[in-house]
Amino acid sequence: ASTPDPPTKDEIQVLRQAFAAFYGTNRDYALAEKLLSESIQAWQKQPADEQAGLYRVRGDCYMALLRPLDAIGDYTQAIKLIRDTPEGKNADPAELPASL
């Protein structure tokens, strides 16, 4: 299996903006959701453990937006990526319990 190309500087910047919107002092969950969705699309070529973390964070964002059904979908995707892919074993140990 070949190693995927690392994320571009622009992709990393979008992800940083997403985290700032979600976790920062001036939280903007709607902006965070938009930027996290962009990041998830861009990260499709990255290892599954990294994708799982993004789905889990967007799930948390959906919960903050009072969209639990969307959150369940993202948490389920994070769990699948962690449990059902070889890279899943590389996920942060807190990702699976947080997604569950």
Side-chain angles (χ1 to χ4, degrees), residues 9-24 26-44 51 53-55 57-59 61-62 65 67 74:
K9 288 181 181 182
D10 288 342
E11 291 168 346
I12 292 168
Q13 184 60 29
V14 170
L15 183 58
R16 285 183 179 147
Q17 291 171 346
F19 284 167
F22 185 68
Y23 294 112
N26 300 315
R27 295 182 178 184
D28 183 339
Y29 297 130
L31 177 60
E33 185 272 331
K34 175 186 174 294
L35 295 171
L36 286 164
S37 293
E38 286 180 32
S39 292
I40 287 169
Q41 285 300 314
W43 248 252
Q44 291 302 306
Q51 292 178 47
L54 294 178
Y55 278 104
V57 172
R58 190 175 68 176
C61 187
Y62 283 140
L65 290 167
R67 293 170 53 188
D74 274 7

Side-chain angles (χ1 to χ4, degrees), residues 42-87:
W43 248 252
Q44 291 302 306
K45 63 185 180 284
Q46 298 306 316
D49 58 309
E50 293 184 24
Q51 292 178 47
L54 294 178
Y55 278 104
R56 199 262 316 147
V57 172
R58 190 175 68 176
D60 292 347
C61 187
Y62 283 140
M63 288 301 291
L65 290 167
L66 305 177
R67 293 170 53 188
L69 296 179
D70 290 324
I72 289 169
D74 274 7
Y75 293 143
T76 300
Q77 182 63 24
I79 292 164
K80 285 180 183 178
L81 288 166
I82 293 168
R83 287 185 172 166
D84 298 344
T85 65
E87 300 93 3

